[in-house]
Amino acid sequence: ADNNVGASVGSWSGLDSTPGSSQNWSKADNWYSNNGPNQGARDLEFGNTAQTTSYNDISNPSLYDINFYDRGSGNNATFTLNGNAVTLYDYGGGQPNITNNSYVNQIINLGVTFNTQASVGSGYITTYNGNLTFNGSVSLGNSNTNLFLGGNSGNTIYLYGGLSLGSNTVTVSGNEEIG
């Protein structure tokens, strides 16, 4: 869920058909209402589309949330996020998170950094219905940021790309499995 009131939402459509760049995040046509990260979206959603592979061609966009969701009617799809690393910020009060609300595994091949501005803040990786696989690194951007891994029992968060904590902490809750 988005805790950042007023965050601009970008919902992936994958509708751009430009040869060679149809999966790019920078293409406004790939986002419903043409509202992607280049247009100011901070809360990205992936779920309602047939184009399930995307490529972040934007240099380190500043985001708040990445959410995967069920498209309904049993029409679940695994999304794969490739490309440049992203940084998730708290933007004054909320907590940045990556959430899987779909019923299938979601794959994140790009690096992710959680970076809170509060004196002590937290980033969240949550799996409610399906697994999350990180092939890119997951890191904490400053000494004020902690990471919570949680979700429903039976789901797994795979951290194949590594986890860089520095002096920060990770908390595992909700009977989550870490692979």
Side-chain angles (χ1 to χ4, degrees), residues 104-125:
V104 295
N105 183 51
Q106 302 299 338
I107 301 169
I108 300 175
N109 290 331
L110 45 82
V112 176
T113 299
F114 290 89
N115 196 353
T116 60
Q117 307 301 313
S119 59
V120 176
S122 299
Y124 287 81
I125 297 175

Side-chain angles (χ1 to χ4, degrees), residues 10-115:
S11 294
W12 179 255
S13 69
L15 296 176
D16 185 83
S17 59
T18 305
S21 64
S22 63
Q23 300 174 349
N24 289 352
W25 285 16
S26 64
K27 299 288 190 172
D29 287 346
N30 278 330
W31 303 92
Y32 289 106
S33 301
N34 294 326
N35 188 33
N38 263 4
Q39 294 74 36
R42 300 278 185 251
D43 186 355
L44 304 185
E45 295 181 341
F46 296 87
N48 192 17
T49 181
Q51 174 63 276
T52 58
T53 300
S54 70
Y55 186 84
N56 174 22
D57 62 323
I58 302 166
S59 179
N60 200 25
S62 297
L63 304 175
Y64 175 72
D65 284 331
I66 297 175
N67 297 299
F68 300 96
Y69 60 93
D70 175 15
R71 297 188 295 172
S73 303
N75 193 9
N76 296 301
T78 295
F79 283 82
T80 303
L81 309 186
N82 298 309
N84 295 324
V86 297
T87 301
L88 281 73
Y89 293 95
D90 61 359
Y91 289 103
Q95 276 136 3
N97 65 76
I98 297 175
T99 304
N100 186 3
N101 284 307
S102 76
Y103 291 91
V104 295
N105 183 51
Q106 302 299 338
I107 301 169
I108 300 175
N109 290 331
L110 45 82
V112 176
T113 299
F114 290 89
N115 196 353

Side-chain angles (χ1 to χ4, degrees), residues 106-179:
Q106 302 299 338
I107 301 169
I108 300 175
N109 290 331
L110 45 82
V112 176
T113 299
F114 290 89
N115 196 353
T116 60
Q117 307 301 313
S119 59
V120 176
S122 299
Y124 287 81
I125 297 175
T126 310
T127 59
Y128 288 113
N129 299 310
N131 300 333
L132 276 167
T133 299
F134 290 85
N135 292 317
S137 65
V138 174
S139 61
L140 304 179
N142 62 40
S143 62
N144 299 332
T145 305
N146 297 310
L147 182 62
F148 285 87
L149 306 174
N152 293 337
S153 180
N155 296 320
T156 304
I157 299 170
Y158 297 98
L159 299 169
Y160 297 127
L163 179 61
S164 176
L165 300 176
S167 62
N168 303 331
T169 62
V170 170
T171 302
V172 179
S173 65
N175 298 317
E176 192 67 34
E177 295 178 27
I178 309 300

